[in-house]
Amino acid sequence: MKGIYFDHAATTPTRPEVVQAMLPYYQEKWGNPSSLHSSGQEAGEGMQEARRQVADLLGAYPEEIVFTGSGTEADNQALIGTSIALEKKGRHIITSAIEHHAVLHTAEFLERHGLEVTTIPVDSTGLVDPDDVRAAITDESILVSIMHANNEIGTIQPIKEIGAICREREVVFHTDAVQTVGHVPVDVRAMNIDLLSLSAHKFYGPKGAGALFVRKGVRIAPLIHGGGHERGRRSSTENVPGIVGLGEACRLAGEEMEWEIEHTTGLRDRLIEGMLAKVPDSMLTGHPTQRLPNNASFCVRYIEGESMLLNLDFEHIYGSSGSACTSGSLEASHVLLAIGLPHDVAHGSLRLSVGRGNTAEEVDRFLEVFPAIVERLRAMSPISAGRPASEFEGGHDLHGHEETHE
Ligand SMILES: *Cc1c(COP(=O)(O)O)cnc(C)c1O
C-alpha cells in the first residue's frame, strides 16, 4: 500500500518478522496440535511457545491464556461466559458508555436476555470515575467490564483503581485492552485484572487471532463447544499460524515498546500541535495527557467526518472518523456523544492513529494539505459557521459507507 497510513487503531500491517515466524506453520509444521504423532506435536510446541510469549507480555501464566478468533470473540466470551458461569450468583453487569461495540452490543444482547446492565458515564475527557463503579456494584453484580483505552479518543482509564474496587467487592473485572496490549505496559496482576481481551492485528500481528486472559480461579463458560480445546474453554482446531504470529507480535512488542512509545508520542504531539495551530475551530477529543501514545483525535467544526476522509483519501492519506453513515442516515459516535459533544460537533470527527512506520515528514505532509481541505469543505458546507445544526441533518449525500468497526 502506498500513501500515508494514519489508521493504526483500525488495524496495523503485519510485521515481516511475524509473517516469517508464521510461514513454517503453513508449510512444514501444519499438523493438528491435538494429534498424538510428531506432526501434531511440533504444531503443539509452536502454540506452547506462543502461549508463553503472550503470557510474558501481560505478566500472566501460560495456563491463563485462552486463544480466540479475535478481540471481539474474547469480549463476547468475557461477558457471556461470565454471565453463564455465575448465573446462580447474580444477574447484574456494569460497563461504561464508551465501550467498543464488541462489549456494548454484547451487553445489550445480555440485557435482552434478562440481565440487568448499568452503564457508567464518562467525563468530558472520556474518563470513568472509579467511585461511580463502586456505587454501581450491588449484591447482584457479577461483572464489571471497562475498557483499558478507548479506540476513538484514546483515553486511558484508571484500570488499577477500578480493579481494586472489584477485588474488594468480589466482582469479576474484565478489561478490553485491544488498543493497549503491545503498545503500552499491561500487567494483569499489578492492575487487578481478572479477564482481559487482546487482538493480534492491532499490534502488527495477523488478523483473526486474539486471546482472553482468564485469571486462575475465575470461572468462565465456553461459547464454542466441541472437542474441548483450550482446557474446555474454546473448542476448535487451533489457528496455529495465527497463534504463532500473535506470540511473535507479543515478543517483538515487549522488546521494542519503549522505542515505539517514544516514536509515536512524538508524531502524535506533532499532529495535535499542528492541527490546533493551523485549523481554526478544531479541538482535541479525549484526555490531554492520559491517552494512547498513537492517538490524535479531533473534532473539526462545520464539516463532517466522511467528507474529510474522502478528501484526505484523494491525497492518499488514510484516517478514520467516529461518524457512521449507514443507509443514508448519519449516526454520531456513541463515544463522542458520551463525552458531551453536541451532534453537529460529533459529526466532524477525525481520528489519526500513527504507528511504527510513520515519519515526521508524513505528519508535515498532512498538516500541509489538511487546512486547505477544511477551508474548501467549509466554503461549500450547508453547516458553515452560524448555520443551525438542524440544517445539517439530511443535508449531505454520502451513501454506502460502512460503519467503522475497529
Ligand atoms: C479492534 C477492537 C476490538 C475488536 O477486535 P477484533 O480482533 O478486530 O475483533 C475490540 N475492542 C477494541 C477496543 C478494539 O479497538
Side-chain angles (χ1 to χ4, degrees):
M1 183 209 67
K2 63 175 169 49
I4 300 177
Y5 187 78
F6 285 157
D7 202 12
H8 291 79
T11 196
T12 56
T14 315
R15 286 183 67 161
E17 300 94 319
V18 169
V19 175
Q20 280 308 316
M22 292 170 71
L23 282 178
Y25 292 89
Y26 287 112
Q27 295 166 331
E28 299 136 35
K29 307 180 188 181
W30 41 260
N32 185 329
S34 298
S35 302
L36 290 177
H37 50 68
S38 342
S39 164
Q41 292 318 297
E42 50 186 24
E45 280 160 22
M47 229 171 58
Q48 240 178 27
E49 191 187 352
R51 206 183 294 280
R52 261 197 309 275
Q53 288 167 325
V54 178
D56 281 352
L57 187 65
L58 305 176
Y61 298 108
E63 315 85 75
E64 295 176 318
I65 305 302
V66 177
F67 292 122
T68 65
S70 64
T72 300
E73 187 191 323
D75 283 341
N76 271 263
Q77 189 171 9
L79 271 71
I80 301 172
T82 301
S83 305
I84 295 172
L86 302 183
E87 63 190 347
K88 299 246 158 56
K89 177 170 185 255
R91 304 280 286 160
H92 177 226
I93 64 178
I94 296 162
T95 185
S96 89
I98 61 166
E99 296 298 311
H100 188 274
H101 283 150
V103 167
L104 204 67
H105 289 166
T106 305
E108 286 167 8
F109 165 81
L110 289 169
E111 202 170 26
R112 287 196 298 278
H113 287 270
L115 264 81
E116 194 194 333
V117 177
T118 299
T119 307
I120 306 280
V122 294
D123 70 12
S124 61
T125 66
L127 279 179
V128 168
D129 182 345
D131 284 334
D132 286 347
V133 177
R134 187 194 305 278
I137 296 175
T138 70
D139 292 341
E140 275 285 304
S141 307
I142 52 169
L143 177 73
V144 170
S145 178
I146 307 280
M147 72 197 314
H148 190 188
N150 183 267
N151 46 298
E152 289 184 39
I153 57 174
T155 301
I156 300 178
Q157 301 297 340
I159 288 302
K160 187 177 173 176
E161 285 84 342
I162 297 170
I165 290 166
C166 295
R167 180 80 23 102
E168 180 194 314
R169 300 292 305 270
E170 294 178 17
V171 178
V172 174
F173 176 46
H174 167 248
T175 189
D176 173 342
V178 173
Q179 287 291 330
T180 50
V181 168
H183 296 287
V184 298
V186 172
D187 183 324
V188 289
R189 298 226 131 60
M191 294 163 80
N192 306 306
I193 295 164
D194 296 316
L195 303 170
L196 173 145
S197 309
L198 62 88
S199 177
H201 79 96
K202 299 291 177 78
F203 60 105
Y204 308 98
K207 291 166 183 62
L212 181 66
F213 156 79
V214 183
R215 178 190 289 271
K216 263 185 196 153
V218 170
R219 284 168 52 211
I220 191 155
L223 300 187
I224 301 178
H225 304 264
H229 308 75
E230 298 296 288
R231 297 166 168 253
R233 286 162 164 176
R234 204 268 188 183
S235 291
S236 292
T237 298
E238 300 86 345
N239 169 15
V240 179
I243 288 167
V244 167
L246 166 61
E248 177 69 359
C250 286
R251 187 186 70 78
L252 291 165
E255 276 182 4
E256 299 175 21
M257 190 173 288
E258 221 175 309
W259 172 85
E260 193 185 306
I261 290 177
E262 202 182 301
H263 177 68
T264 54
T265 304
L267 299 176
R268 176 197 73 184
D269 292 347
R270 196 178 181 97
L271 272 170
I272 294 173
E273 281 158 31
M275 177 74 110
L276 300 181
K278 289 187 157 189
V279 178
D281 289 315
S282 63
M283 63 178 282
L284 181 72
T285 54
H287 198 279
T289 54
Q290 250 165 268
R291 66 186 299 132
L292 287 169
N294 67 356
N295 173 295
S297 58
F298 307 94
C299 279
V300 183
R301 295 296 307 265
Y302 315 123
I303 47 181
E304 49 94 28
E306 302 265 344
S307 6
M308 285 188 267
L309 293 187
L310 292 177
N311 279 270
L312 283 169
D313 192 62
F314 292 142
E315 303 284 347
H316 308 291
I317 299 173
Y318 311 122
S320 155
S321 173
S323 72
C325 176
T326 35
S327 55
S329 76
L330 271 183
E331 225 178 274
S333 142
H334 68 284
V335 175
L336 298 175
L337 296 180
I339 61 173
L341 294 178
H343 272 83
D344 61 319
V345 177
H347 279 303
S349 76
L350 178 68
R351 179 192 69 187
L352 304 170
S353 42
V354 295
R356 307 175 51 81
N358 289 130
T359 62
E361 289 69 38
E362 290 179 328
V363 169
D364 293 346
R365 168 78 188 145
F366 167 83
L367 293 170
E368 195 183 299
V369 302
F370 191 62
I373 291 176
V374 170
E375 218 169 288
R376 202 164 63 237
L377 288 173
R378 278 182 180 158
M380 47 187 233
S381 168
I383 49 151
S384 56
R387 291 270 195 91
S390 58
E391 285 185 31
F392 183 51
E393 308 295 337
H396 60 89
D397 61 347
L398 289 162
H399 296 281
H401 296 289
E402 263 194 75
E403 214 175 321
T404 50
H405 285 295
E406 68 286 345

